[in-house]
């Protein structure tokens, strides 16, 4: 599985990139058919101005989750938690 992280309009430090990679790399445990994952990190003008968009490519379907939070880490954790549930449901659908 390939993980691509893109930071839009800012430079993400290595610590943040490592955190994203560590969290996203756990997703194949829930669905082994993931081909690749794209993560877009961006800044917004809002109070909760950190935006994370995770696009998971699986054969026949793509899952896209987007969350805003005070920190990128919180938004990434939220996205991964939601994706875990969605991937389990997609896997169950596939096997039935």
């Amino acid at each position: 599985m390939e993980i691509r992280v893109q930071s839009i309009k800012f430079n993400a430090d290595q610590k943040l990139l490592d955190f994203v990679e560590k969290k996203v790399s756990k997703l194949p445990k829930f669905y082994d058919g993931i081909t690749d994952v794209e993560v877009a990190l961006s800044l917004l003008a809002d109070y909760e101005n950190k935006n994370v968009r995770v696009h998971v490519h699986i054969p026949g379907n793509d899952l896209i989750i987007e969350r805003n939070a005070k920190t990128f880490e919180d938004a990434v954790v939220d996205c991964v938690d939601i994706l875990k549930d969605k991937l389990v449901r997609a896997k169950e659908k596939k096997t039935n």
Side-chain angles (χ1 to χ4, degrees):
M1 176 185 82
E2 182 184 347
I3 301 172
R4 287 189 302 277
V5 181
Q6 181 181 25
S7 54
I8 301 167
K9 296 183 182 172
F10 78 102
N11 291 326
D13 65 349
Q14 192 58 47
K15 187 177 166 188
L16 176 60
L17 296 175
D18 292 343
F19 179 84
V20 171
E21 190 117 354
K22 179 182 168 195
K23 291 295 180 186
V24 172
S25 66
K26 294 178 182 176
L27 292 176
K29 282 194 251 178
F30 303 96
Y31 190 98
D32 54 2
I34 299 173
T35 55
D36 63 302
V37 179
E38 295 174 27
V39 181
L41 309 171
S42 58
L43 297 170
L44 304 173
D46 303 345
Y47 168 67
E48 292 191 340
N49 68 336
K50 311 293 192 288
N51 177 269
V52 175
R53 183 173 170 271
V54 182
H55 188 155
V56 178
H57 299 272
I58 54 178
N61 200 3
D62 283 359
L63 299 174
I64 301 172
I65 301 295
E66 192 167 346
R67 287 288 175 264
N68 298 340
K70 291 180 186 175
T71 67
F72 284 116
E73 290 83 359
D74 289 346
V76 168
V77 169
D78 288 349
C79 287
V80 169
D81 287 344
I82 293 165
L83 280 166
K84 286 177 186 176
D85 294 339
K86 288 189 176 283
L87 288 169
V88 167
R89 274 188 253 134
K91 186 176 184 176
E92 288 171 355
K93 231 185 255 185
K94 184 179 118 176
T95 56
N96 290 339

